[in-house]
């Protein structure tokens, strides 16, 4: 048995474990196991790679692994759960950057020969660079470093011209056969700029779709560079992620009723949100005591949490209130819109962190039929995802987006900081309905007050 | 690698990726995205190989290789920690469907 045979066999086993791990990660019962398997496979792959024949520069390699790994490990450990999406974005960007750097080094060594290999190297470099700079922009936006979405005049024309320029340059590199340094540098610079230009105009609400798309991009880039290096483990892992990431992106875009092309090229803007009919009626206020008594004497309460709740850090309080109500014989469940939080499933993670068992959490299709039977729908920090104009008003920018039908519950209580419109700036018709009451205040403090009153009712 | 063999691998891997997550519940979308983000951290292996074959006398090659390995390692380590933290929190409830239909009016 040669070292090469051993390494190839190990890579094969690693690819199998990655796929099994991803499969396990798609069920809540086995998910934890899945990531641990994949983690062990990654360690094995890294160790085995040191035995690759003809390698040098081990000192530098170990320093790079230790510093990069330790930095990311530490940042991943300390980040708050609400900030998870931007961490996924930045780690993903690093993967894309690594794929692009692999291509760059292969070009620098002059090791890229043949049309197919050069084409895939160029494609991987392009996609990886876009994923890298795009993810950095996504990170900066979600982290609040980069505040607003800026658009160039004729943004779409600039996008297309720049994309054509990069692809054209890539074509020249493929056709040239032998590679010139300046050309390669220009190619990478343009590809990085393209990533920035593509993601800059996209608003916060659409970011989850973009992060997911960039994740799929990085997968593809890794797969292509895997071909360049003749490493099937990279090909399999990369392409599997590319395909599953694309599917995940489609699921998210569908849940938001925003085709991926719309997300990239026509972001929801203030101007677009201006459309729609004027809403008549007024908002009615509710006190914490009213809210407490309505819920305490209900038989079924459905809680609809949104990102506002998570930002206020109120999920622990909300779960405390839910448990209190349950002790009093009220049935309490949580309803989650696919895009609640910043990514699909993000809200589930935040509730899980507060200790809410996952069998009390239902998604849109499971729960929507139950709202007419619910005595109370409690909306905390959610807005656009419960706006009934998505069902009724064709001129609204969110028309057609699947929403939680909270307006069909007997009573709706909305916990909200103030009277303003939602994330997208669209007026919410729900707030003006006859069965809807507003409980103003930060989620944390409003729910704490409700808890006090519920306790008072018990005694 | 033969062009067509590679094409077959690409195709089968794409179907596998699509199939593996096609029935995933919404609650796991974020952890799964993070998990797949971790899996493409295997780019670290490729980065190690290219750095290992870089010319030790060329600072440019060493620098690019260092960046590649550094970024790859960060992708893998960060992706793992974040995914594991999220998944560690998923627990089933103590009373499964115990009083699910009690309060139907």
């Amino acid at each position: 048995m040669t070292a090469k045979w051993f390494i190839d066999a190990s890579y094969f086993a690693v690819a199998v474990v990655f796929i099994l791990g991803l499969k396990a990660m798609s069920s809540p019962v086995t998910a934890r196991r899945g990531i641990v398997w994949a983690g062990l496979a990654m360690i094995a792959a890294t160790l085995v790679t040191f035995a690759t024949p003809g390698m040098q520069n081990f000192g530098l390699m170990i320093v790079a692994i230790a510093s990069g790994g330790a930095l990311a490990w530490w940042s991943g450990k300390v980040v708050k759960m609400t900030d998870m999406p931007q961490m996924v974005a930045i780690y993903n960007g690093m993967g894309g950057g690594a794929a692009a750097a692999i291509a760059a080094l292969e070009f620098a060594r002059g090791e890229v020969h043949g049309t197919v290999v050069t084409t895939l190297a160029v494609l991987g470099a392009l996609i990886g660079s876009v994923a890298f700079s795009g993810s950095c922009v996504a990170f900066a936006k979600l982290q609040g470093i980069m505040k607003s979405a800026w658009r160039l005049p004729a943004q779409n024309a600039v996008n297309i011209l720049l994309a054509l320029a990069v692809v054209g340059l890539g074509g020249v590199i493929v056709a040239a056969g032998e590679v010139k340094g300046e050309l390669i540098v220009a190619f990478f610079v343009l590809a990085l700029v393209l990533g920035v230009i593509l993601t800059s105009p996209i608003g916060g609400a659409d970011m989850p779709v973009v992060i997911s798309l960039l994740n799929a991009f990085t997968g593809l880039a890794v797969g292509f560079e895997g071909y360049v290096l003749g490493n099937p483990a990279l090909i399999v892992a990369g392409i599997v992620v590319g395909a599953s990431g694309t599917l995940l992106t489609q699921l998210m875009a569908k849940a938001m009723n925003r085709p991926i092309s719309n997300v990239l090229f026509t972001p929801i803007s203030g101007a677009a949100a201006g459309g729609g009919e004027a809403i008549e009626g007024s908002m009615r206020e509710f006190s914490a005591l009213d809210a407490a008594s309505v819920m305490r004497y209900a038989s079924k309460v459905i809680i609809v949490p949104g990102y506002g709740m998570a930002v206020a850090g109120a999920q622990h309080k909300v779960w405390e209130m839910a448990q209190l109500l349950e002790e009093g014989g009220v049935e309490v469940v949580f309803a989650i819109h696919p895009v609640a939080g910043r990514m699909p499933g993000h809200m589930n993670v935040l509730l899980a962190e507060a200790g809410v068992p996952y069998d009390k959490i239902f998604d849109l299709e499971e729960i929507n039929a139950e709202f007419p039977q619910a005595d109370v729908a409690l909306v905390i920090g959610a807005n656009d995802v419960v706006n009934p104009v998505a069902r009724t008003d064709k001129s609204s920018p969110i028309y057609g987006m699947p929403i939680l039908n909270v307006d069909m519950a007997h009573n709706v209580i909305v916990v909200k900081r103030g009277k303003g419109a939602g994330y997208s700036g669209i007026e919410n018709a729900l707030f003006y309905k006859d069965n809807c009451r507003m409980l103003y205040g930060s989620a944390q403090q409003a729910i704490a007050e409700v808890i006090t009153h519920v306790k008072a009712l018990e005694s | 690698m033969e062009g067509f063999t590679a094409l077959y691998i690409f195709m089968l891997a794409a179907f596998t990726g699509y199939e593996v997550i096609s029935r995933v519940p919404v609650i796991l979308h974020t952890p799964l995205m993070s998990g797949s983000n971790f899996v493409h951290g295997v780019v670290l292996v490729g980065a190690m190989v290219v750095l290992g074959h870089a010319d030790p006398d060329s600072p440019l090659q060493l620098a690019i290789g260092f960046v590649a390995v550094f970024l790859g390692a960060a992708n893998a380590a960060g992706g793992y920690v974040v995914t594991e933290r999220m998944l560690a929190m998923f627990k089933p409830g103590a009373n499964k469907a115990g009083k699910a239909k009690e309060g139907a009016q």
Side-chain angles (χ1 to χ4, degrees), chain A residues 392-442:
Chain A
T392 54
D393 181 0
K394 283 200 172 135
S395 65
S396 169
I398 60 169
Y399 179 74
M401 177 173 89
I403 58 157
L404 288 161
N405 296 327
V406 293
D407 56 317
M408 293 181 180
H410 295 294
N411 298 287
V412 185
I413 303 173
V414 179
V415 180
K416 203 167 173 301
R417 195 179 269 280
K419 295 187 182 178
Y423 207 31
S424 58
I426 302 163
E427 272 290 348
N428 195 332
L430 172 72
F431 303 161
Y432 299 90
K433 289 229 166 194
D434 288 336
N435 59 344
C436 181
R437 297 287 179 276
M438 310 299 289
L439 176 56
Y440 290 114
S442 83

Short mmCIF file of all heavy atoms in Angstrom, two decimals, chain A residues 392-442:
data_model
loop_
_atom_site.label_atom_id
_atom_site.label_comp_id
_atom_site.label_asym_id
_atom_site.label_seq_id
_atom_site.Cartn_x
_atom_site.Cartn_y
_atom_site.Cartn_z
N THR A 392 -54.46 40.43 0.21
CA THR A 392 -55.60 41.15 -0.37
C THR A 392 -55.22 42.25 -1.36
O THR A 392 -55.95 42.48 -2.32
CB THR A 392 -56.40 41.82 0.77
OG1 THR A 392 -55.52 42.61 1.56
CG2 THR A 392 -57.05 40.77 1.65
N ASP A 393 -54.11 42.94 -1.14
CA ASP A 393 -53.83 44.15 -1.91
C ASP A 393 -52.81 43.89 -3.01
O ASP A 393 -51.61 43.77 -2.77
CB ASP A 393 -53.33 45.25 -0.95
CG ASP A 393 -53.05 46.54 -1.68
OD1 ASP A 393 -53.26 46.59 -2.92
OD2 ASP A 393 -52.64 47.51 -1.03
N LYS A 394 -53.33 43.83 -4.24
CA LYS A 394 -52.44 43.48 -5.36
C LYS A 394 -51.37 44.52 -5.62
O LYS A 394 -50.34 44.23 -6.20
CB LYS A 394 -53.27 43.30 -6.63
CG LYS A 394 -53.98 41.96 -6.64
CD LYS A 394 -54.40 41.55 -8.03
CE LYS A 394 -54.93 40.13 -7.98
NZ LYS A 394 -56.14 39.92 -8.71
N SER A 395 -51.59 45.76 -5.19
CA SER A 395 -50.61 46.80 -5.48
C SER A 395 -49.49 46.82 -4.45
O SER A 395 -48.51 47.54 -4.60
CB SER A 395 -51.30 48.17 -5.52
OG SER A 395 -51.80 48.47 -4.23
N SER A 396 -49.62 46.01 -3.39
CA SER A 396 -48.59 46.04 -2.36
C SER A 396 -47.36 45.28 -2.81
O SER A 396 -47.47 44.23 -3.46
CB SER A 396 -49.15 45.41 -1.08
OG SER A 396 -48.09 45.22 -0.18
N PRO A 397 -46.18 45.79 -2.47
CA PRO A 397 -44.95 45.07 -2.88
C PRO A 397 -44.83 43.69 -2.27
O PRO A 397 -44.09 42.86 -2.79
CB PRO A 397 -43.83 46.00 -2.41
CG PRO A 397 -44.45 47.04 -1.55
CD PRO A 397 -45.91 47.06 -1.80
N ILE A 398 -45.53 43.44 -1.16
CA ILE A 398 -45.43 42.10 -0.58
C ILE A 398 -46.62 41.22 -0.96
O ILE A 398 -46.79 40.14 -0.42
CB ILE A 398 -45.29 42.15 0.96
CG1 ILE A 398 -46.49 42.83 1.61
CG2 ILE A 398 -43.99 42.81 1.38
CD1 ILE A 398 -46.53 42.66 3.13
N TYR A 399 -47.44 41.68 -1.96
CA TYR A 399 -48.58 40.86 -2.36
C TYR A 399 -48.12 39.47 -2.81
O TYR A 399 -47.18 39.36 -3.59
CB TYR A 399 -49.35 41.54 -3.50
CG TYR A 399 -50.53 40.72 -3.97
CD1 TYR A 399 -51.68 40.63 -3.21
CD2 TYR A 399 -50.47 39.99 -5.15
CE1 TYR A 399 -52.74 39.86 -3.60
CE2 TYR A 399 -51.53 39.21 -5.57
CZ TYR A 399 -52.68 39.15 -4.78
OH TYR A 399 -53.73 38.36 -5.18
N GLY A 400 -48.79 38.45 -2.29
CA GLY A 400 -48.45 37.09 -2.69
C GLY A 400 -47.49 36.40 -1.75
O GLY A 400 -47.33 35.19 -1.80
N MET A 401 -46.83 37.17 -0.88
CA MET A 401 -45.93 36.53 0.08
C MET A 401 -46.77 35.71 1.07
O MET A 401 -47.77 36.20 1.58
CB MET A 401 -45.14 37.59 0.86
CG MET A 401 -44.23 37.02 1.92
SD MET A 401 -43.14 38.26 2.68
CE MET A 401 -44.17 38.83 4.03
N PRO A 402 -46.41 34.46 1.33
CA PRO A 402 -47.18 33.70 2.31
C PRO A 402 -47.03 34.36 3.68
O PRO A 402 -45.93 34.71 4.08
CB PRO A 402 -46.51 32.33 2.31
CG PRO A 402 -45.54 32.33 1.18
CD PRO A 402 -45.25 33.74 0.82
N ILE A 403 -48.15 34.54 4.37
CA ILE A 403 -48.07 35.15 5.70
C ILE A 403 -48.75 34.25 6.71
O ILE A 403 -49.51 33.35 6.37
CB ILE A 403 -48.77 36.54 5.74
CG1 ILE A 403 -50.24 36.41 5.32
CG2 ILE A 403 -48.03 37.54 4.91
CD1 ILE A 403 -51.10 37.52 5.83
N LEU A 404 -48.50 34.50 7.98
CA LEU A 404 -49.21 33.83 9.06
C LEU A 404 -50.55 34.55 9.22
O LEU A 404 -50.59 35.77 9.39
CB LEU A 404 -48.38 33.92 10.35
CG LEU A 404 -47.15 33.02 10.37
CD1 LEU A 404 -46.16 33.48 11.42
CD2 LEU A 404 -47.53 31.58 10.62
N ASN A 405 -51.64 33.80 9.19
CA ASN A 405 -52.97 34.42 9.21
C ASN A 405 -53.43 34.78 10.62
O ASN A 405 -54.49 34.36 11.06
CB ASN A 405 -53.99 33.48 8.56
CG ASN A 405 -53.66 33.25 7.11
OD1 ASN A 405 -53.15 34.14 6.43
ND2 ASN A 405 -53.93 32.06 6.62
N VAL A 406 -52.63 35.57 11.31
CA VAL A 406 -52.98 35.90 12.70
C VAL A 406 -54.27 36.70 12.79
O VAL A 406 -54.97 36.64 13.79
CB VAL A 406 -51.85 36.71 13.39
CG1 VAL A 406 -50.62 35.88 13.57
CG2 VAL A 406 -51.54 37.96 12.63
N ASP A 407 -54.62 37.43 11.72
CA ASP A 407 -55.83 38.24 11.77
C ASP A 407 -57.09 37.38 11.91
O ASP A 407 -58.15 37.88 12.19
CB ASP A 407 -55.92 39.14 10.53
CG ASP A 407 -55.85 38.35 9.24
OD1 ASP A 407 -55.01 37.43 9.16
OD2 ASP A 407 -56.64 38.63 8.32
N MET A 408 -56.97 36.08 11.69
CA MET A 408 -58.13 35.20 11.80
C MET A 408 -58.36 34.69 13.23
O MET A 408 -59.37 34.05 13.51
CB MET A 408 -57.97 34.01 10.87
CG MET A 408 -58.03 34.44 9.41
SD MET A 408 -57.89 33.06 8.30
CE MET A 408 -57.99 33.92 6.73
N ALA A 409 -57.44 34.95 14.13
CA ALA A 409 -57.64 34.55 15.52
C ALA A 409 -58.71 35.45 16.15
O ALA A 409 -58.98 36.55 15.64
CB ALA A 409 -56.33 34.68 16.29
N HIS A 410 -59.31 34.98 17.26
CA HIS A 410 -60.35 35.78 17.88
C HIS A 410 -59.81 37.12 18.36
O HIS A 410 -60.42 38.15 18.17
CB HIS A 410 -60.96 35.02 19.08
CG HIS A 410 -61.67 33.78 18.66
ND1 HIS A 410 -62.81 33.80 17.90
CD2 HIS A 410 -61.38 32.48 18.86
CE1 HIS A 410 -63.21 32.56 17.66
NE2 HIS A 410 -62.35 31.73 18.22
N ASN A 411 -58.65 37.09 19.00
CA ASN A 411 -58.01 38.32 19.44
C ASN A 411 -56.56 38.32 18.96
O ASN A 411 -55.91 37.27 18.96
CB ASN A 411 -57.98 38.42 20.97
CG ASN A 411 -59.38 38.45 21.54
OD1 ASN A 411 -60.09 39.43 21.44
ND2 ASN A 411 -59.79 37.32 22.11
N VAL A 412 -56.11 39.48 18.56
CA VAL A 412 -54.70 39.62 18.19
C VAL A 412 -54.08 40.67 19.11
O VAL A 412 -54.65 41.74 19.28
CB VAL A 412 -54.53 40.07 16.72
CG1 VAL A 412 -53.06 40.09 16.35
CG2 VAL A 412 -55.31 39.17 15.79
N ILE A 413 -52.96 40.32 19.73
CA ILE A 413 -52.24 41.30 20.53
C ILE A 413 -50.88 41.50 19.88
O ILE A 413 -50.17 40.53 19.61
CB ILE A 413 -52.05 40.82 21.98
CG1 ILE A 413 -53.43 40.52 22.62
CG2 ILE A 413 -51.31 41.87 22.80
CD1 ILE A 413 -53.33 39.88 23.98
N VAL A 414 -50.55 42.74 19.57
CA VAL A 414 -49.27 43.02 18.93
C VAL A 414 -48.38 43.78 19.90
O VAL A 414 -48.74 44.87 20.36
CB VAL A 414 -49.46 43.86 17.64
CG1 VAL A 414 -48.11 44.16 17.01
CG2 VAL A 414 -50.36 43.13 16.66
N VAL A 415 -47.27 43.19 20.25
CA VAL A 415 -46.29 43.89 21.09
C VAL A 415 -45.34 44.62 20.15
O VAL A 415 -44.72 44.01 19.28
CB VAL A 415 -45.50 42.91 21.97
CG1 VAL A 415 -44.49 43.67 22.82
CG2 VAL A 415 -46.44 42.10 22.84
N LYS A 416 -45.24 45.92 20.31
CA LYS A 416 -44.50 46.71 19.35
C LYS A 416 -43.88 47.89 20.06
O LYS A 416 -44.46 48.45 20.98
CB LYS A 416 -45.47 47.19 18.26
CG LYS A 416 -44.80 47.54 16.97
CD LYS A 416 -45.88 47.69 15.87
CE LYS A 416 -45.28 48.20 14.60
NZ LYS A 416 -44.63 49.51 14.74
N ARG A 417 -42.71 48.27 19.60
CA ARG A 417 -41.98 49.34 20.24
C ARG A 417 -42.67 50.69 20.05
O ARG A 417 -42.81 51.47 20.96
CB ARG A 417 -40.59 49.38 19.64
CG ARG A 417 -39.59 50.19 20.39
CD ARG A 417 -38.27 50.11 19.66
NE ARG A 417 -37.46 48.99 20.12
CZ ARG A 417 -36.73 49.03 21.23
NH1 ARG A 417 -36.73 50.08 21.99
NH2 ARG A 417 -35.99 48.00 21.58
N GLY A 418 -43.10 50.97 18.82
CA GLY A 418 -43.74 52.25 18.54
C GLY A 418 -44.69 52.10 17.38
O GLY A 418 -44.99 51.00 16.96
N LYS A 419 -45.11 53.24 16.82
CA LYS A 419 -46.14 53.16 15.80
C LYS A 419 -45.61 53.03 14.37
O LYS A 419 -46.38 53.00 13.43
CB LYS A 419 -47.06 54.38 15.90
CG LYS A 419 -47.82 54.37 17.21
CD LYS A 419 -48.87 55.45 17.30
CE LYS A 419 -49.53 55.35 18.67
NZ LYS A 419 -50.53 56.33 18.95
N GLY A 420 -44.31 52.97 14.19
CA GLY A 420 -43.73 53.01 12.84
C GLY A 420 -44.04 51.78 12.00
O GLY A 420 -44.56 50.79 12.47
N ALA A 421 -43.71 51.87 10.72
CA ALA A 421 -43.90 50.76 9.81
C ALA A 421 -42.76 49.74 9.99
O ALA A 421 -41.82 49.98 10.73
CB ALA A 421 -43.94 51.26 8.38
N GLY A 422 -42.88 48.60 9.32
CA GLY A 422 -41.93 47.49 9.51
C GLY A 422 -40.60 47.69 8.80
O GLY A 422 -40.31 48.77 8.28
N TYR A 423 -39.82 46.64 8.80
CA TYR A 423 -38.49 46.59 8.20
C TYR A 423 -38.52 47.11 6.77
O TYR A 423 -37.66 47.87 6.35
CB TYR A 423 -38.06 45.13 8.22
CG TYR A 423 -36.57 44.92 8.26
CD1 TYR A 423 -35.74 45.83 8.88
CD2 TYR A 423 -36.01 43.78 7.69
CE1 TYR A 423 -34.38 45.61 8.95
CE2 TYR A 423 -34.66 43.55 7.76
CZ TYR A 423 -33.84 44.46 8.37
OH TYR A 423 -32.51 44.24 8.42
N SER A 424 -39.56 46.71 6.02
CA SER A 424 -39.61 47.09 4.62
C SER A 424 -40.30 48.44 4.43
O SER A 424 -40.40 48.93 3.33
CB SER A 424 -40.35 46.03 3.83
OG SER A 424 -41.65 45.87 4.36
N GLY A 425 -40.83 49.03 5.52
CA GLY A 425 -41.49 50.33 5.42
C GLY A 425 -42.92 50.26 4.92
O GLY A 425 -43.48 51.26 4.51
N ILE A 426 -43.53 49.07 4.95
CA ILE A 426 -44.90 48.92 4.46
C ILE A 426 -45.86 49.01 5.65
O ILE A 426 -45.66 48.38 6.67
CB ILE A 426 -45.06 47.57 3.74
CG1 ILE A 426 -44.05 47.48 2.59
CG2 ILE A 426 -46.48 47.38 3.24
CD1 ILE A 426 -43.85 46.08 2.09
N GLU A 427 -46.95 49.80 5.48
CA GLU A 427 -47.98 49.89 6.52
C GLU A 427 -48.62 48.54 6.77
O GLU A 427 -48.84 47.77 5.83
CB GLU A 427 -49.06 50.89 6.10
CG GLU A 427 -48.79 52.32 6.48
CD GLU A 427 -48.87 52.60 7.97
OE1 GLU A 427 -49.36 51.74 8.73
OE2 GLU A 427 -48.43 53.69 8.36
N ASN A 428 -48.93 48.23 8.02
CA ASN A 428 -49.52 46.94 8.32
C ASN A 428 -51.01 47.08 8.60
O ASN A 428 -51.43 47.66 9.60
CB ASN A 428 -48.82 46.32 9.52
CG ASN A 428 -49.14 44.85 9.64
OD1 ASN A 428 -50.20 44.41 9.22
ND2 ASN A 428 -48.22 44.10 10.21
N ALA A 429 -51.83 46.51 7.72
CA ALA A 429 -53.29 46.61 7.85
C ALA A 429 -53.79 45.86 9.08
O ALA A 429 -54.86 46.16 9.60
CB ALA A 429 -53.96 46.05 6.60
N LEU A 430 -53.01 44.90 9.54
CA LEU A 430 -53.42 44.11 10.71
C LEU A 430 -53.70 45.01 11.90
O LEU A 430 -54.68 44.83 12.63
CB LEU A 430 -52.32 43.10 11.06
CG LEU A 430 -52.51 42.34 12.37
CD1 LEU A 430 -53.62 41.31 12.24
CD2 LEU A 430 -51.21 41.67 12.80
N PHE A 431 -52.82 46.03 12.09
CA PHE A 431 -52.89 46.87 13.28
C PHE A 431 -54.22 47.65 13.36
O PHE A 431 -54.60 48.14 14.40
CB PHE A 431 -51.72 47.86 13.34
CG PHE A 431 -50.37 47.20 13.30
CD1 PHE A 431 -49.24 47.92 12.96
CD2 PHE A 431 -50.22 45.85 13.63
CE1 PHE A 431 -47.99 47.31 12.92
CE2 PHE A 431 -48.97 45.24 13.59
CZ PHE A 431 -47.85 45.97 13.24
N TYR A 432 -54.90 47.79 12.20
CA TYR A 432 -56.12 48.59 12.18
C TYR A 432 -57.37 47.73 12.25
O TYR A 432 -58.47 48.22 12.17
CB TYR A 432 -56.15 49.44 10.90
CG TYR A 432 -54.98 50.41 10.83
CD1 TYR A 432 -53.79 50.04 10.22
CD2 TYR A 432 -55.08 51.67 11.40
CE1 TYR A 432 -52.71 50.91 10.17
CE2 TYR A 432 -54.01 52.54 11.35
CZ TYR A 432 -52.83 52.16 10.74
OH TYR A 432 -51.77 53.02 10.69
N LYS A 433 -57.18 46.41 12.38
CA LYS A 433 -58.34 45.52 12.40
C LYS A 433 -59.07 45.63 13.74
O LYS A 433 -58.48 45.96 14.75
CB LYS A 433 -57.88 44.08 12.17
CG LYS A 433 -57.42 43.83 10.76
CD LYS A 433 -58.08 42.60 10.21
CE LYS A 433 -57.88 42.55 8.69
NZ LYS A 433 -58.76 41.59 8.08
N ASP A 434 -60.38 45.25 13.72
CA ASP A 434 -61.19 45.38 14.93
C ASP A 434 -60.74 44.44 16.05
O ASP A 434 -60.87 44.76 17.22
CB ASP A 434 -62.66 45.09 14.60
CG ASP A 434 -63.27 46.21 13.80
OD1 ASP A 434 -62.74 47.34 13.89
OD2 ASP A 434 -64.25 45.97 13.06
N ASN A 435 -60.21 43.27 15.68
CA ASN A 435 -59.85 42.31 16.71
C ASN A 435 -58.39 42.48 17.17
O ASN A 435 -57.85 41.64 17.86
CB ASN A 435 -60.08 40.88 16.21
CG ASN A 435 -59.29 40.57 14.95
OD1 ASN A 435 -58.80 41.47 14.29
ND2 ASN A 435 -59.15 39.30 14.64
N CYS A 436 -57.75 43.56 16.74
CA CYS A 436 -56.33 43.73 17.05
C CYS A 436 -56.11 44.82 18.10
O CYS A 436 -56.71 45.89 18.05
CB CYS A 436 -55.56 44.08 15.79
SG CYS A 436 -53.81 44.27 16.08
N ARG A 437 -55.25 44.53 19.06
CA ARG A 437 -54.90 45.49 20.11
C ARG A 437 -53.39 45.64 20.16
O ARG A 437 -52.66 44.66 20.00
CB ARG A 437 -55.39 45.01 21.47
CG ARG A 437 -56.89 44.87 21.59
CD ARG A 437 -57.57 46.25 21.66
NE ARG A 437 -59.01 46.14 21.77
CZ ARG A 437 -59.83 45.98 20.73
NH1 ARG A 437 -59.34 45.88 19.50
NH2 ARG A 437 -61.13 45.90 20.91
N MET A 438 -52.94 46.87 20.41
CA MET A 438 -51.50 47.12 20.44
C MET A 438 -51.02 47.24 21.89
O MET A 438 -51.61 47.94 22.70
CB MET A 438 -51.18 48.46 19.73
CG MET A 438 -51.78 48.62 18.36
SD MET A 438 -51.22 47.36 17.20
CE MET A 438 -49.53 47.89 16.97
N LEU A 439 -49.94 46.53 22.17
CA LEU A 439 -49.30 46.64 23.49
C LEU A 439 -47.95 47.28 23.25
O LEU A 439 -47.02 46.63 22.79
CB LEU A 439 -49.18 45.24 24.11
CG LEU A 439 -48.48 45.09 25.46
CD1 LEU A 439 -49.13 45.97 26.51
CD2 LEU A 439 -48.54 43.63 25.91
N TYR A 440 -47.84 48.58 23.53
CA TYR A 440 -46.61 49.29 23.19
C TYR A 440 -45.53 49.09 24.26
O TYR A 440 -45.82 48.94 25.44
CB TYR A 440 -46.87 50.79 23.02
CG TYR A 440 -47.68 51.10 21.79
CD1 TYR A 440 -48.95 51.63 21.87
CD2 TYR A 440 -47.14 50.83 20.52
CE1 TYR A 440 -49.69 51.90 20.73
CE2 TYR A 440 -47.87 51.10 19.38
CZ TYR A 440 -49.14 51.64 19.49
OH TYR A 440 -49.86 51.89 18.36
N GLY A 441 -44.31 49.07 23.82
CA GLY A 441 -43.19 48.93 24.74
C GLY A 441 -42.16 47.98 24.16
O GLY A 441 -42.43 47.30 23.16
N SER A 442 -40.98 47.92 24.76
CA SER A 442 -40.00 46.95 24.29
C SER A 442 -40.50 45.57 24.69
O SER A 442 -41.19 45.42 25.70
CB SER A 442 -38.64 47.22 24.92
OG SER A 442 -38.56 46.63 26.19
#
